[in-house]
Amino acid sequence: MAISSVSSGASIDSVLAQIRQVRQMVKVDDPCQLAAPKIESSSVSFSDTLKHTLARVNEAQNKVSGPTEAFALGEPGAVLNDAMDGLQKSGDNSQLGMYLRNKQVAAYQQVMNMKP
């Protein structure tokens, strides 16, 4: 689906309709669902949350490494575009992992600095 450019005369309703249409295509109601770990228990430690988050980032990086490895090995049918896309996604996942780790460590430090 191509997203049309927003002109100065476009109404906010048409822009919102496009956003809803893209959201429906992606099937994500809340953008925070992409990065937030889903944890069932209410008594989960910070270390468990951090491990879970890093495991999800690692899993995502492992999924995108296939086309890059295929291109590097010279396999037939391997395309440079797929390899470059995989490298970009891998870099994005690394940045996301570092951001989430830093936020979780900062939250842990704030909790530890609270006075009883």
Side-chain angles (χ1 to χ4, degrees), residues 32-79:
C32 295
Q33 290 177 345
L34 296 174
K38 295 180 181 177
I39 300 172
E40 301 288 326
S41 174
S42 63
S43 63
V44 177
S45 67
F46 277 101
S47 64
D48 291 340
T49 305
L50 183 60
K51 286 177 189 177
H52 180 72
T53 302
L54 293 177
R56 287 186 57 190
V57 169
N58 186 41
E59 179 182 322
Q61 283 185 320
N62 288 338
K63 285 181 183 177
V64 299
S65 66
T68 306
E69 290 178 13
F71 183 78
L73 294 173
E75 293 181 5
V79 182

Side-chain angles (χ1 to χ4, degrees), residues 20-29 34:
R20 288 184 189 110
Q21 192 174 23
V22 170
R23 184 180 286 170
Q24 193 63 260
M25 287 175 49
V26 177
K27 294 185 182 4
V28 174
D29 294 327
L34 296 174

